[in-house]
Amino acid sequence: MKLLVTGCAGFIGSNFVLQMRDTNPDVTLINVDLLTYAGNLENLKALEGDEGHVFVRADVADRAAMDAIFSEHKPDGVIHFAAESHVDRSILDASPFVHNNVMGTQVLLDLARQHGVSRYLQVSTDEVYGSLGSTGLFTESTSIAPNSPYAASKAAADMLVRAAGHTHGMDVVITRCSNNYGPLQFPEKLIPLMIANALEGKELPVYGDGMQIRDWLHVSDHNTAIWRVFEKGRAGEVYNIGGNNEWPNIDVVKLILATLGLDESLIRYVKDRPGHDRRYAIDASKIRDELGWEPARRFEEALPETIQWYRENRDWWERVRSGAYRDYYDSQYAARLSAD
Ligand code: NAD
Ligand code: TYD
């Protein structure tokens, strides 16, 4: 089987690709990524020389480039991770979110249909449901009510996926996961940013009162769930993915400091994010009851392990922060591209 994976050089996509090469070596991966600021090909370094995958640099919204990839590689399935993924960036400028997340999804859907792909999986987010009060959980039938431009672009993409299934009879599935953590996450998101700042002795910027709640899931659990849905989910369905693991931001920040043996003097409360969603929490009973998926990792052991990873891989996040990781692509691919 051949699987087209978009966003393979990002945080979750790269973890998926590495996990799949381990657990499903019979699946050939056609890995596509535009290598935006968030795409780092170093994340896939372990696959050098592995003939079970190819990497192609392309914009998923570029119809001609993507058509050529479908024609050449003839994938049987598509798993679409690629997206602009950071809420704060979407507040500064929503345009790349519309291009990459909305147009990119429609182009992929059109090509998947034209090329007879048998299943298309859209990697979405719980943020499409908006914000919860102090009680209740998001279920798959919670109304779509996105609050940030990022969430709105993901919700728009989900609606296009739904329409492709309904109108064109495509076999589509959508997953909506809560916040992920783990190695190789770009240090602009809460957990890696706080770890990196703490390790550098910089202030830890906590938005507002720090009492916003997120439901944290280890990236490897997210990817196990995605593959389960791809293999066994019912066509046309949405599956929520979550770890039943709610934490106020300030408690996560304090836990990171305590794990690093640092006091709390680095915490700095800063102006709140505009439109900041107060609470996300997932009801994952559908994927558990229908597909038998449950998270394998517990926050209490996987967060310290993640912190340790950032401690041991300082070089990785320092290169990301300085922009030096971009040189890797140039050194790996410049010669190959100019030979084309
Ligand atoms: P990320 O920002 O780390 O990676 C995104 C990747 O997509 C990058 O490698 C980037 O280069 C690539 N990309 C962006 N636009 C592209 C385009 N037009 N063409 C090709 N490649 C492009 O994001 P992530 O955290 O790995 O998120 C992956 C997916 O999971 C996204 O769809 C996101 O909405 C979803 N998601 C993320 C979380 C989370 O906590 N991070 C939770 C739920 C869902
Ligand atoms: P983030 O990792 O950006 O994910 P999302 O907004 O998609 O949930 O942020 C997680 C939470 O942490 C969110 O409530 C915003 C908050 N936050 C801070 O308090 N300080 C920060 O510097 C960042 C990046 C996030």
Side-chain angles (χ1 to χ4, degrees), residues 74-314:
K74 303 185 176 29
D76 305 295
V78 172
I79 300 192
H80 181 33
F81 290 92
E84 285 288 325
S85 67
H86 190 38
V87 172
D88 291 318
R89 285 180 188 258
S90 78
I91 295 169
L92 293 174
D93 181 7
S95 299
F97 290 72
V98 176
H99 175 84
N100 294 326
N101 302 1
V102 185
M103 269 315 291
T105 296
Q106 188 57 49
V107 166
L108 276 179
L109 286 167
D110 291 343
L111 292 172
R113 181 160 57 93
Q114 285 159 21
H115 289 268
V117 162
S118 47
R119 170 155 277 196
Y120 175 102
L121 186 147
Q122 178 78 2
V123 179
S124 186
T125 164
D126 61 352
E127 300 191 29
V128 301
Y129 297 124
S131 184
L132 289 165
S134 54
T135 59
L137 300 171
F138 295 134
T139 72
E140 289 80 358
S141 51
T142 300
S143 314
I144 301 296
N147 288 322
S148 71
Y150 161 66
S153 70
K154 294 295 290 184
D158 283 11
M159 297 300 99
L160 293 170
V161 174
R162 175 191 150 90
H166 190 81
T167 300
H168 297 297
M170 280 180 71
D171 182 325
V172 293
V173 275
I174 297 175
T175 57
R176 295 192 180 132
C177 189
S178 59
N179 289 62
N180 285 208
Y181 68 98
L184 298 170
Q185 185 168 27
F186 198 88
E188 65 183 354
K189 305 280 168 60
L190 179 76
I191 288 181
L193 179 93
M194 296 297 169
I195 300 170
N197 278 16
L199 289 171
E200 286 190 325
K202 288 188 182 155
E203 287 181 334
L204 311 190
V206 172
Y207 298 164
D209 64 2
M211 289 307 292
Q212 301 81 9
I213 289 174
R214 297 295 183 261
D215 182 354
W216 293 97
L217 184 74
H218 193 268
V219 61
S220 63
D221 281 327
H222 184 186
N223 283 326
T224 312
I226 286 173
W227 184 240
R228 186 71 55 88
V229 171
F230 185 85
E231 279 201 302
K232 304 226 160 75
R234 285 182 292 133
E237 293 291 314
V238 173
Y239 292 89
N240 283 352
I241 304 170
N244 201 14
N245 180 43
E246 293 181 51
W247 285 76
N249 292 337
I250 188 65
D251 289 355
V252 173
V253 171
K254 287 181 176 172
L255 184 56
I256 290 170
L257 286 170
T259 308
L260 289 171
L262 297 170
D263 67 38
E264 294 174 8
S265 59
L266 285 173
I267 294 175
R268 168 91 189 271
Y269 288 92
V270 298
K271 197 161 167 278
D272 209 352
R273 171 189 279 173
H276 199 169
D277 283 339
R278 195 70 183 164
R279 175 170 168 259
Y280 301 148
I282 284 271
D283 176 344
S285 53
K286 178 174 173 179
I287 187 169
R288 184 194 63 214
D289 297 346
E290 264 189 34
L291 307 181
W293 175 87
E294 278 189 272
R297 308 302 313 273
R298 288 178 55 251
F299 200 57
E300 289 70 15
E301 42 89 16
L303 182 69
E305 181 192 290
T306 299
I307 293 170
Q308 189 56 23
W309 186 89
Y310 284 90
R311 256 180 148 155
E312 287 169 5
N313 292 276
R314 195 175 178 123

